[in-house]
Amino acid sequence: QQPVQSPQAVILREGEDAVINCSSSKALYSVHWYRQKHGEAPVFLMILLKGGEQKGHDKISASFNEKKQQSSLYLTASQLSYSGTYFCGTGNLDSNYQLIWGAGTKLIIKP
Amino acid sequence: DVKVTQSSRYLVKRTGEKVFLECVQDMDHENMFWYRQDPGLGLRLIYFSYDVKMKEKGDIPEGYSVSREKKERFSLILESASTNQTSMYLCASSPRPRENWYEQFFGPGTRLTVL
């Protein structure tokens, strides 16, 4: 039931692009993306709702493919500040107060 | 800025002790959550509260209880701490009851070690 995130970890050079995927075995209503830096609280990035458009701000964007029950997070021209662990949380209409979280993708950006 | 604060960043307790983890939010949010975070497992919901004195079990409620006497405060209680409850505990809050398409605001976490 937990969504599957891939890859588990990725190491990039500053300026390179990354894609993080989140796949669910259940029909999704919403997908939430958060980033957690080491020793800090998870911080909200964006929410994608069923029927909504692709979202993004600055050089981080995400898409939501309802048919495939998956979401992808795109980080373009990565910066050192993008380092951290990215989590997706998925929401279903039959558990409307709960998010089910993926195990996380650790992103390391090297100069 | 929304602030979610947790009473301790680090806590060390002995097996069998009763442990209280406190969480306070200052944005008048209806929903509050307690999660447990373990490497490779992501965030797992322990308990959820959508109103004062209201609570619902999450995925892993065994060995835990909660209390919400005031809207801004949500407490997690380990009645008799065990070593397998050693973990990072995160509290979160969000507006509007029973809707999952709102941002959750997280506290800094409490790293609990049970010896």
Side-chain angles (χ1 to χ4, degrees):
Chain A
Q1 190 174 351
Q2 181 182 36
V4 176
Q5 286 189 235
S6 62
Q8 289 184 325
V10 59
I11 301 173
L12 297 175
R13 292 281 178 195
E14 204 173 0
E16 292 181 334
D17 301 340
V19 180
I20 299 171
N21 298 304
C22 175
S23 297
S24 174
S25 59
K26 296 186 73 172
L28 298 177
Y29 185 86
S30 66
V31 180
H32 304 228
W33 286 98
Y34 286 74
R35 176 172 62 211
Q36 184 179 31
K37 293 183 178 289
H38 182 70
E40 298 181 10
V43 173
F44 171 77
L45 293 176
M46 62 190 79
I47 294 174
L48 298 101
L49 300 179
K50 183 177 179 178
E53 299 175 353
Q54 181 163 335
K55 282 198 172 182
H57 61 87
D58 198 12
K59 293 177 180 174
I60 300 176
S61 62
S63 62
F64 183 10
N65 187 320
E66 297 159 32
K67 286 186 179 178
K68 291 185 177 180
Q69 295 168 185
Q70 76 177 39
S71 176
S72 295
L73 186 72
Y74 307 94
L75 298 99
T76 306
S78 56
Q79 306 167 15
L80 293 175
S81 62
Y82 288 0
S83 291
T85 300
Y86 290 78
F87 292 97
C88 68
T90 57
N92 314 103
L93 284 179
D94 61 352
S95 58
N96 63 355
Y97 55 85
Q98 266 194 54
L99 294 180
I100 309 298
W101 297 86
T105 295
K106 188 169 186 177
L107 178 64
I108 298 172
I109 309 293
K110 293 190 171 182
Chain B
D1 272 357
V2 175
K3 273 197 178 161
V4 180
T5 57
Q6 295 183 228
S7 50
S8 306
R9 289 301 303 269
Y10 299 93
L11 209 53
V12 179
K13 295 292 181 181
R14 297 260 178 218
T15 301
E17 280 192 85
K18 191 168 186 175
V19 182
F20 293 87
L21 303 182
E22 304 284 338
C23 174
V24 178
Q25 50 94 3
D26 66 358
M27 280 302 290
D28 202 36
H29 284 171
E30 283 82 359
N31 295 339
M32 294 189 76
F33 309 82
W34 273 108
Y35 291 99
R36 174 174 168 160
Q37 184 177 27
D38 298 289
L41 297 177
L43 299 168
R44 293 181 292 167
L45 183 66
I46 305 172
Y47 268 98
F48 160 75
S49 170
Y50 55 90
D51 201 351
V52 175
K53 296 190 187 295
M54 305 305 290
K55 62 184 180 185
E56 293 196 20
K57 293 180 180 179
D59 296 325
I60 52 166
E62 297 78 19
Y64 304 94
S65 62
V66 290
S67 171
R68 194 166 178 200
E69 297 296 319
K70 293 184 177 182
K71 191 175 184 180
E72 68 271 17
R73 190 180 296 270
F74 192 32
S75 302
L76 180 70
I77 302 151
L78 288 69
E79 295 289 341
S80 178
S82 63
T83 54
N84 62 12
Q85 292 178 310
T86 292
S87 186
M88 171 68 83
Y89 290 88
L90 288 168
C91 175
S93 72
S94 72
R96 302 292 297 279
R98 292 187 171 275
E99 292 176 2
N100 70 1
W101 46 91
Y102 287 91
E103 174 184 353
Q104 292 189 20
F105 296 85
F106 284 85
T110 295
R111 184 164 293 283
L112 173 67
T113 302
V114 183
L115 302 175

